[in-house]
Amino acid sequence: MTKRKVLKNLLELVGSEFDADNVICAFEDYQERGNGCVIVTENHDFPGYDAAAYIDNGVVFYIATNTDNIITDIMMLN
């Protein structure tokens, strides 16, 4: 799975409530190939993006949520 496919999977979560398990599932095919574990953590690098998800020092995907914990945006940082 490419980083673009992961981004596509994550973008499908926009409009739904943030759930780390759902974010991890977006990486599923990539993770099954033995590419490492998915890390979902709080973000302090980019204002407006509350969480970050990545696989072992790989591409970072930033996740923005609103006050109701609904995902509003996903940003990929190479």
Side-chain angles (χ1 to χ4, degrees):
M1 173 178 285
T2 67
K3 60 188 175 186
R4 299 263 181 229
K5 177 65 175 159
V6 173
L7 178 61
K8 181 179 181 247
N9 290 346
L10 288 170
L11 286 171
E12 291 176 6
L13 298 176
V14 171
S16 65
E17 186 172 358
F18 175 81
D19 182 325
D21 289 337
N22 291 340
V23 171
I24 290 168
C25 286
F27 287 81
E28 187 173 350
D29 291 341
Y30 191 82
Q31 189 177 10
E32 285 177 359
R33 293 183 171 183
N35 290 316
C37 63
V38 179
I39 299 164
V40 180
T41 185
E42 288 184 23
N43 169 52
H44 302 285
D45 296 331
F46 287 95
Y49 290 85
D50 310 297
Y54 56 94
I55 294 181
D56 299 334
N57 297 321
V59 175
V60 180
F61 299 89
Y62 291 97
I63 303 164
T65 59
N66 64 17
T67 56
D68 295 323
N69 205 34
I70 302 298
I71 297 172
T72 58
D73 192 28
I74 306 286
M75 176 180 69
M76 178 176 68
L77 186 64
N78 292 332

